[in-house]
Amino acid sequence: MAKHATPMLDQLETGPWPSFVSDIKQEAAMRAANPKGLDYQIPVDCPDDLLGVLELSYNDGETHWKHGGIVGVFGYGGGVIGRYCDQPEMFPGVAHFHTVRLNQPAGKYYTTDFLRQLCDIWDLRGSGLTNMHGATGDIVLLGTTTPQLEEIFWEVTHNMDNDLGGSGSNLRTPAACLGESRCEYACYDTQAASYNLTMEYQDELHRPAFPYKFKFKFDGCPNGCVAAMARSDFSVVGTWKDSIKIDQEAVAAYVAGEFKPNAGAHSGKDWGAFDIEAEVINRCPSAAMKWEGGKLAIDRSECVRCMHCINTMPRALHIGDERGASILCGAKAPILDGAQMSSLVVPFVEAKGDFDEIKEVVENIWDWWMEEGKNRERLGETMRRLSLQKLLEVVGQEPSAHNVQEPRHNPYIFFKEEEVPGGWDRDINEYRKRHQR
Amino acid sequence: MAEITYEGKTFEVDEDGFLLKFEEWCPEWVDYVKESEGISEISEDHQKILDFLQDYYRKNGIAPMVRILSKNTGFKLKQVYELFPSGPGKGACKMAGLPKPTGCV
Ligand code: HEM
Ligand code: HEM
Ligand code: SF4
Ligand code: SF4
């Protein structure tokens, strides 16, 4: 018998999509039955009380969590999101309901052994509820009490060789698309880059030292499967410099209908026979393709590497061999001064080995932003306030046409004094000699 | 909200153990909190950080940015953590009696 009546939540058990309500009820029943005989370290009915407080919120149309919460583990300035219920007498099981962010493996590949160990720790010391995964990438352990935080941290580090993720004004947990592990579009090893930079900047991740939060994300190609350009201050997106590789026989197979366009992604609807002219050639944003006499040709100098033709004919068209990545900066959500996607800063950078070229850009940006960024100002906002020119300067990137979508249309142009013959020191009396008042 | 009595003084605190009123701060508070923040003895260096936080808060009505704390006290962030294991926010600000840090923590 459930602890609280939840008539509204019960409605969310109907319908075809996996119901979070059914799942939480299952966990609540499992804890009540306790088949393993665990000595639960937080209230056994924590999930019941979570459903109870959620039902109350459904009724009131208001949240029932208090403002903020500052908890953590010694040595770190982040990693745990403290939270307290504003009706602790009614729902004592969630009086404390802190969230622990755990660093996830890049690409989120797991063994069942790892996940079982983690569940064992969390069953004993937490609510048994999780988020797989938080939007930034972390494994999210949802709901525990303050005294359990150091216990969980000890077990995760000592028994699982794992660490907390980031929170606060610091480097947050980096994430990558699955990259070369199982995608033929990957232009660099995104998982290796994510892992390497996560390890390199552990201090910056665990101990907030920045004006505000800062995120890395690594996409293997412009398709953006981890949405780096929208969700990270520092977005690394794979690309290539040479030509797209064309397998003319495979192109013919697409045209003949042997291979399905877009690997069959549109097979749910009848779009007619594949029409290479209409679906690829005429859709190329820079009109860089030609289809003549049964041969496909691409003008490399015009191609903007948008991925469309490769996405449509993956068996016939392949990324080039001179691979690397572009670095774009400044993406952020609307608060405070409006949403931003990242802007292109470095058009092409090597992305291999220890990723030293990428780290150099990171560190130059940090040196500048840590000094110049205002309190709670994202990099994107600092860029707007102090200009893209300034960012290019600190990164050592020669400004080029690549850095803008279009040139400015206003004439409020600043010049550096040394660029202007004679400088800024002028004498009005000299001027008056030629121009009377 | 809980009330704590220590060495004849009473303090109003929240769930996270932050003082609700900066004016209630007194040296006994530091003595009371230090153990829960992993500190056995308050050294001169600890005191220097606490003093700076309080001065800055009285003057500006906010806690200083980490960078400003480091610059003014001369302690690198690493040293701040050596002194205050849970960091400048949860550790030092709490002991100095400043309000609880807010935002997307
Ligand atoms: C042969 C005579 C003149 C010519 C060819 C001329 C031309 C121009 C041009 C091309 C602009 C820039 C417009 C823009 O960028 O949108 C301008 C702006 C302006 N002109 Fe003239 N102008 C003349 C005489 C005058 C006189 C006699 C006055 C005032 C008594 C004057 C006052 C201004 C002002 C205030 C502006 C705006 C400046 C700004 O937006 O920063 N102009 N003029
Ligand atoms: C107290 C006196 C004045 C004030 C505060 C004033 C203020 C302004 C301001 C704020 C602008 C807009 C600037 C911009 O868009 O960036 C402007 C534009 C302009 N003002 Fe004045 N102004 C004054 C007197 C005058 C006088 C006496 C003249 C001409 C004899 C004049 C001619 C103009 C012109 C031509 C423009 C440009 C209009 C445009 O953008 O097309 N102003 N003024
Ligand atoms: S971003 Fe590109 S490389 Fe990465 S998984 Fe998606 S398609 Fe593949
Ligand atoms: S990648 Fe995009 S721009 Fe380049 S040829 Fe293909 S469709 Fe055209």
Side-chain angles (χ1 to χ4, degrees), chain A residues 206-218:
Chain A
H206 292 304
R207 286 176 277 279
F210 292 168
Y212 204 8
K213 64 177 90 165
F214 194 97
K215 299 180 182 180
F216 291 155
K217 280 190 168 58
F218 302 90

Side-chain angles (χ1 to χ4, degrees), chain A residues 66-67 69-77 80-81 84 167-168 172 206-209 211 213 369-371 373-376, chain B residues 1 15-16 18 35-38 62-63 65-67 71 77-78 81 85-90 94 100-105:
Chain A
K66 291 188 188 180
H67 180 237
I70 292 291
V71 291
V73 298
F74 284 152
Y76 290 1
V80 185
I81 320 303
Y84 304 96
S167 71
R172 302 292 183 89
H206 292 304
R207 286 176 277 279
K213 64 177 90 165
W369 180 60
M370 285 172 72
E371 201 50 45
K374 291 191 183 178
N375 197 13
R376 302 234 166 136
Chain B
M1 299 293 160
E15 291 92 343
D16 293 320
F18 279 78
E35 199 195 311
S36 68
E37 291 303 324
I62 53 168
M65 290 168 75
V66 170
R67 208 170 61 245
K71 263 196 187 152
L77 189 59
K78 191 163 163 278
Y81 273 87
S86 43
K90 181 175 175 286
K94 184 194 279 185
K100 179 152 82 181
T102 58
C104 182
V105 296

Side-chain angles (χ1 to χ4, degrees), chain A residues 11-29:
Chain A
Q11 293 177 35
L12 299 182
E13 294 197 87
T14 59
W17 298 102
S19 163
F20 74 94
V21 177
S22 302
D23 288 353
I24 296 177
K25 285 185 177 178
Q26 198 178 5
E27 178 63 13

Side-chain angles (χ1 to χ4, degrees), chain A residues 237-305:
Chain A
V237 181
T239 190
W240 63 94
K241 272 208 265 198
D242 52 345
S243 307
I244 289 178
K245 287 185 273 187
I246 307 175
D247 174 346
Q248 298 290 354
E249 265 173 50
V251 174
Y254 276 102
V255 173
E258 272 167 56
F259 295 159
K260 286 189 175 164
N262 294 84
H266 306 295
S267 46
K269 187 174 170 189
D270 183 6
W271 291 94
F274 177 60
D275 178 348
I276 191 170
E277 200 77 55
E279 295 176 41
V280 184
I281 312 297
N282 296 344
R283 301 227 163 237
C284 170
S286 40
M289 309 183 84
K290 262 205 296 243
W291 173 245
E292 272 171 5
K295 281 258 179 290
L296 182 66
I298 297 176
D299 177 357
R300 162 188 169 181
S301 64
E302 286 299 315
C303 169
V304 295
R305 293 148 179 88

Side-chain angles (χ1 to χ4, degrees), chain A residues 342-364:
Chain A
S342 280
S343 302
L344 184 66
V345 174
V346 184
F348 191 89
V349 66
E350 292 294 333
K352 47 183 156 214
D354 275 334
F355 303 98
D356 289 331
E357 290 200 18
I358 294 176
K359 287 177 191 165
E360 196 188 322
V361 179
V362 166
E363 287 165 27
N364 283 334

Side-chain angles (χ1 to χ4, degrees), chain A residues 124-337:
Chain A
L124 181 68
R125 304 193 177 279
S127 66
L129 307 175
T130 66
N131 175 1
M132 295 297 274
H133 301 72
T136 300
D138 308 84
I139 298 170
V140 174
L141 305 177
L142 211 51
T144 191
T145 59
T146 307
Q148 289 305 308
L149 297 175
E150 291 285 356
E151 307 286 337
I152 292 162
F153 184 53
W154 196 95
E155 292 200 25
V156 163
T157 48
H158 290 73
N159 301 339
M160 298 193 64
D161 205 13
N162 214 77
D163 205 338
L164 298 186
S167 71
S169 290
N170 59 4
L171 173 64
R172 302 292 183 89
T173 306
C177 77
L178 46 79
E180 289 177 352
S181 71
R182 52 169 189 169
C183 180
E184 64 268 39
Y185 303 159
C187 300
Y188 69 101
D189 189 344
T190 55
Q191 291 179 268
S194 182
Y195 180 72
N196 189 307
L197 272 79
T198 302
M199 298 308 278
E200 177 82 24
Y201 300 120
Q202 282 289 292
D203 277 351
E204 286 76 6
L205 193 154
H206 292 304
R207 286 176 277 279
F210 292 168
Y212 204 8
K213 64 177 90 165
F214 194 97
K215 299 180 182 180
F216 291 155
K217 280 190 168 58
F218 302 90
D219 273 316
C221 79
N223 280 333
C225 292
V226 77
M229 285 177 274
R231 300 194 303 155
S232 62
D233 303 75
F234 189 90
S235 325
V236 183
V237 181
T239 190
W240 63 94
K241 272 208 265 198
D242 52 345
S243 307
I244 289 178
K245 287 185 273 187
I246 307 175
D247 174 346
Q248 298 290 354
E249 265 173 50
V251 174
Y254 276 102
V255 173
E258 272 167 56
F259 295 159
K260 286 189 175 164
N262 294 84
H266 306 295
S267 46
K269 187 174 170 189
D270 183 6
W271 291 94
F274 177 60
D275 178 348
I276 191 170
E277 200 77 55
E279 295 176 41
V280 184
I281 312 297
N282 296 344
R283 301 227 163 237
C284 170
S286 40
M289 309 183 84
K290 262 205 296 243
W291 173 245
E292 272 171 5
K295 281 258 179 290
L296 182 66
I298 297 176
D299 177 357
R300 162 188 169 181
S301 64
E302 286 299 315
C303 169
V304 295
R305 293 148 179 88
C306 75
M307 293 302 291
H308 174 71
C309 58
I310 299 177
N311 286 338
T312 308
M313 302 194 290
R315 297 177 72 161
L317 302 180
H318 302 279
I319 59 172
D321 289 326
E322 273 180 65
R323 299 172 194 167
S326 305
I327 296 174
L328 303 91
C329 292
K332 58 176 280 288
I335 289 172
L336 280 169
D337 71 359

